Amino acid sequence: MSASLTASAGALRADSISKAFGGLKVFHDVSFTLPPAGLLGVIGPNGAGKTTMINIMSGRLPLSSGQVLLGDMRIDGRPVYANADQGLVRSFQQTATFAGSSVEDNLIAALRFAKRDRSVLERLAPLLDRFGLIECWGRHAEILPYGLQKMLGLTMALATQPKILLLDEPAAGLEKSERSNIDAYVGFAQREFGCGILLVEHDMDLIRRLCPQVIVLDGGRLIAAGPPGEILSRKDVIDAYLGGADEEDGDAQHS
């Protein structure tokens, strides 16, 4: 089954992608398109292969079959740095910062990785202020509260000025009161940087608030695609979630 969303130059497209580890099929024949500057939610029960799919798209894992295209360029099988050079950057479920380095130095490291200059930090200033990171500018990242570490890692991804952001459960581990920061982050990334965003998330309230379109993975296949209000009321989607566990053990093993 494929999700046929509007495709154009600069779109991220999965074309009949499949991934297996030995005899274990993680997902099979999945197709969808993320339009430039669009926002697509990806949901599904635990072990559905969502993190594995992000790892493939970012270059961390090879495909078993199919292809991933960014515009007209095939990007599956390319190194992470090569895809980052093309503007495709991913986040991680856990915090992704450099221990022993300050908030400022973490952001500068992200700039250096993407060959950006410090002027990007000026563009990020409203977001850094919103998250409370400016007042922690000189503090080591590892001593910050988890929520601040998470937002620093997300801001580092945005500092690379990506065209496409692959967000892997950005709300994971955040307190309920902190989750509005994800709304602010996604809105800022799209408004100020024109990012297309593929959002993998278990927080259905967040999906409903942010995503005009979602796709659902279950049992290695794409079982539904469309607006969240419609998709999240479908019996097969509800049944898929009721059959899931509390932790994404399957994805964690193949991430």
Side-chain angles (χ1 to χ4, degrees), residues 11-24:
L12 178 66
R13 181 161 61 92
D15 183 10
S16 298
I17 62 174
S18 298
K19 179 62 181 177
F21 293 94
L24 174 63

Side-chain angles (χ1 to χ4, degrees):
M1 178 179 181
S2 66
S4 181
L5 304 176
T6 303
S8 59
L12 178 66
R13 181 161 61 92
D15 183 10
S16 298
I17 62 174
S18 298
K19 179 62 181 177
F21 293 94
L24 174 63
K25 290 184 178 180
V26 182
F27 55 80
H28 178 70
D29 196 26
V30 172
S31 298
F32 61 85
T33 299
L34 171 66
L39 176 55
L40 178 63
V42 182
I43 64 174
N46 303 323
K50 303 181 296 295
T51 292
T52 300
M53 185 174 68
I54 281 188
N55 284 335
I56 285 168
M57 291 187 152
S58 64
R60 288 171 61 88
L61 285 174
L63 271 173
S64 298
S65 63
Q67 61 181 356
V68 178
L69 301 169
L70 182 57
D72 295 328
M73 177 183 294
R74 183 169 179 176
I75 62 170
D76 59 276
R78 288 161 50 90
V80 171
Y81 70 85
N83 287 337
D85 284 345
Q86 294 300 316
L88 188 144
V89 176
R90 67 157 295 172
S91 73
F92 294 86
Q93 291 180 24
Q94 298 80 23
T95 59
T97 58
F98 298 110
S101 297
S102 67
V103 168
E104 179 183 17
D105 287 342
N106 268 271
L107 287 163
I108 289 174
L111 297 178
R112 287 174 177 163
F113 171 76
K115 301 178 179 66
R116 310 297 188 209
D117 61 48
R118 288 184 66 112
S119 65
V120 178
L121 297 183
E122 297 177 11
R123 295 183 65 188
L124 289 170
L127 202 63
L128 293 166
D129 185 50
R130 160 69 190 255
F131 296 155
L133 289 169
I134 289 179
E135 60 194 62
C136 304
W137 202 239
R139 296 174 63 188
H140 284 187
E142 72 272 17
I143 67 173
L144 299 177
Y146 180 86
L148 281 179
Q149 290 187 47
K150 192 75 179 275
M151 300 319 297
L152 173 58
L154 289 171
T155 307
M156 287 166 63
L158 193 54
T160 67
Q161 295 184 293
K163 298 174 185 175
I164 301 288
L165 268 173
L166 309 177
L167 300 182
D168 190 8
E169 295 193 41
L174 296 181
E175 300 291 339
K176 190 171 183 179
S177 61
E178 297 174 315
R179 295 194 173 197
S180 62
N181 282 338
I182 304 301
D183 300 60
Y185 176 85
V186 167
F188 187 89
Q190 289 201 294
R191 182 177 63 254
E192 300 296 331
F193 287 80
C195 292
I197 297 176
L198 190 73
L199 174 62
V200 170
E201 187 51 67
H202 275 298
D203 185 332
M204 293 299 105
D205 289 336
L206 194 65
I207 289 289
R208 288 187 181 95
R209 289 198 306 268
L210 295 179
C211 299
Q213 297 282 322
V214 297
I215 60 173
V216 187
L217 298 177
D218 181 38
R221 295 185 179 274
L222 198 160
I223 64 168
E230 171 188 320
I231 295 303
L232 295 177
S233 63
R234 285 179 43 162
K235 185 178 184 303
D236 55 346
V237 174
I238 294 170
D239 288 347
Y241 270 96
L242 289 175
D246 290 335
E247 299 294 331
E248 183 121 20
D249 295 331
D251 278 358
Q253 292 171 9
H254 304 298
S255 59

